[in-house]
Amino acid sequence: MTVPYPFTSGQTLTAAQMNAITELTINDKTDSYTLAAGDAGEYVIMNKASSSTITVPNSVFSASQIVKIVNKGAGTCTVTAGEGVTVNVNGSLALSQHGGGTLLCLSASTFTFFPFSGGVSYGTATGGSSSSITVDGQAYTLLTFTSSSTLTVTTAGLFDFLVVGGGGAGGVSFSGQFTGGGGAGGVQTGTAYLTTNQTVTIGAGGAAESALPTGIGNSSYLGATVVSFVGCGGGRGAGARTAGSGSASNPQSGGNGGGGGASEFENTTGGRGVQNNNGGNGAGSGNGGGGGGGAGAAGSNGGAGTAGGNGGAGFDASSFRGESAATTFYGGGGGGGGASGGTGGSGGGATRGNAGSANTGGGGGGSTSTGGVGFAGGSGIVLVRFKV
């Protein structure tokens, strides 16, 4: 519709014109845009999947004019001051999808932006190691916890979190057989409304095995262990024994399951991933052990000819951290035991014969010899971010 105003002195208004006063024109934009004089009193709606800007120009609008700005697209739209312009705001000028507000002109070069109310805003906090990141045009503070500590909430609100448990160890061998790789620590992500300080617990990786049946990873927590956000510890890979040589060492369930072993005296089926993915199966007597499950994919099965199965790929945390895709992974599964193969999954998972990387939740590798120990899993990590 065409806006019927401004009206002139003595003008007679029709009913349609009177009704139209309450209807603002919608100007849809699909790319970054600089406001024009004709946008006064109208809606400017950005609809773009990636980041964009709406620039406020100098000496175009008059005092008391307003523009309604709404972001319809998935990409963040940022209201940006043009050269010589000041845009004041009590909040953020970066509009996430379905966000918006009113731009009020105070003078030719001074504006105030009033974000629409009704939503819950992000809070602020301190703790861990702090860094500034940008995700799709939106600025965040990222807090990284590599050891147990406290998240100190200074302003109640929303917080995004990523919690990674400690990885499980690879299995230990007491016979002429190879063992399964350790399951990675589980990964949980989400957004929570927090009002008080939260205890952060970093789960240790499963200890290297020299006896049966240790090696399960420890869970990481954001908050109390009863009501909390948790990355479950990874399952231990299956061990190997000879008949009658002691307790069985089947692959363990965990955040991600441990890999199956290659002994006829143990279960060769990979452990169950209670949070993410299962471990791979062992290939049976004389062959390779299964790879540990990863947070992004299941572990691979062991192969014939003593080739260990590869650990499952980890969870791609790059977008959470404001990085390019496939930059940082967490929770890679440990490689299955064998004379060859058994590569660790991306995200700290260890290749056979090695320990999982610290603060990644990576699973430990399976044995490289037919009488070898299991290798330790990597410790977990907790990330918390909030908009600025």
Side-chain angles (χ1 to χ4, degrees):
M1 55 155 278
T2 301
V3 176
Y5 47 80
F7 303 116
T8 60
S9 178
Q11 179 181 355
T12 299
L13 302 180
T14 66
Q17 288 174 317
M18 292 293 291
N19 291 332
I21 294 174
T22 63
E23 300 174 6
L24 300 184
T25 298
I26 293 177
N27 294 330
D28 278 307
K29 306 298 176 184
T30 58
D31 206 347
S32 295
Y33 174 69
T34 298
L35 296 175
D39 295 319
E42 299 182 356
Y43 275 104
V44 175
I45 297 182
M46 182 60 65
N47 187 8
K48 188 177 181 182
S50 57
S51 59
S52 62
T53 60
I54 290 181
T55 302
V56 183
N58 199 349
S59 302
V60 170
F61 299 102
S62 302
S64 79
Q65 289 186 311
I66 64 171
V67 181
K68 301 282 189 178
I69 299 174
V70 175
N71 182 26
K72 180 180 178 182
T76 299
C77 177
T78 304
V79 179
T80 304
E83 184 175 357
V85 171
T86 299
V87 179
N88 300 302
V89 64
N90 182 11
S92 176
L93 294 173
L95 306 178
S96 58
Q97 189 173 28
H98 310 309
T102 301
L103 181 71
L104 171 64
C105 178
L106 302 178
S107 70
S109 60
T110 305
F111 298 78
T112 299
F113 185 72
F114 300 94
F116 294 148
S117 61
V120 178
S121 61
Y122 276 77
T124 58
T126 60
S129 175
S130 177
S131 59
S132 297
I133 64 172
T134 301
V135 180
D136 197 18
Q138 169 66 54
Y140 287 84
T141 294
L142 176 67
L143 305 179
T144 302
F145 295 85
T146 56
S147 60
S148 297
S149 184
T150 299
L151 175 71
T152 302
V153 177
T154 54
T155 303
L158 297 175
F159 295 87
D160 301 327
F161 62 86
L162 189 157
V163 182
V164 183
V172 61
S173 178
F174 290 108
S175 68
Q177 305 291 337
F178 294 107
T179 63
V187 175
Q188 182 183 13
T189 63
T191 300
Y193 185 81
L194 303 178
T195 60
T196 59
N197 297 348
Q198 304 293 314
T199 299
V200 177
T201 303
I202 303 300
E209 288 194 292
S210 57
L212 300 174
T214 59
I216 299 173
N218 295 276
S219 297
S220 296
Y221 298 92
L222 173 61
T225 58
V226 176
V227 180
S228 61
F229 309 102
V230 58
C232 297
R236 185 196 66 245
R241 66 184 180 92
T242 56
S245 65
S247 301
S249 179
N250 291 326
Q252 296 292 309
S253 299
N256 294 282
S263 168
E264 65 270 40
F265 302 108
E266 270 72 56
N267 185 357
T268 59
T269 303
R272 183 172 66 91
V274 299
Q275 197 163 22
N276 302 128
N277 293 292
N278 295 342
N281 299 332
S285 181
N287 298 300
S300 298
N301 296 334
T306 69
N310 295 333
F315 173 82
D316 187 355
S318 306
S319 61
F320 189 97
R321 295 168 51 94
E323 302 166 336
S324 300
T327 299
T328 301
F329 292 82
Y330 294 118
S340 62
T343 301
S346 57
T351 298
R352 69 192 194 288
N354 294 278
S357 300
N359 296 126
T360 66
S367 59
T368 55
S369 66
T370 56
V373 300
F375 293 85
S379 54
I381 192 169
V382 171
L383 305 179
V384 177
R385 72 180 189 187
F386 52 89
K387 293 180 179 179
V388 296

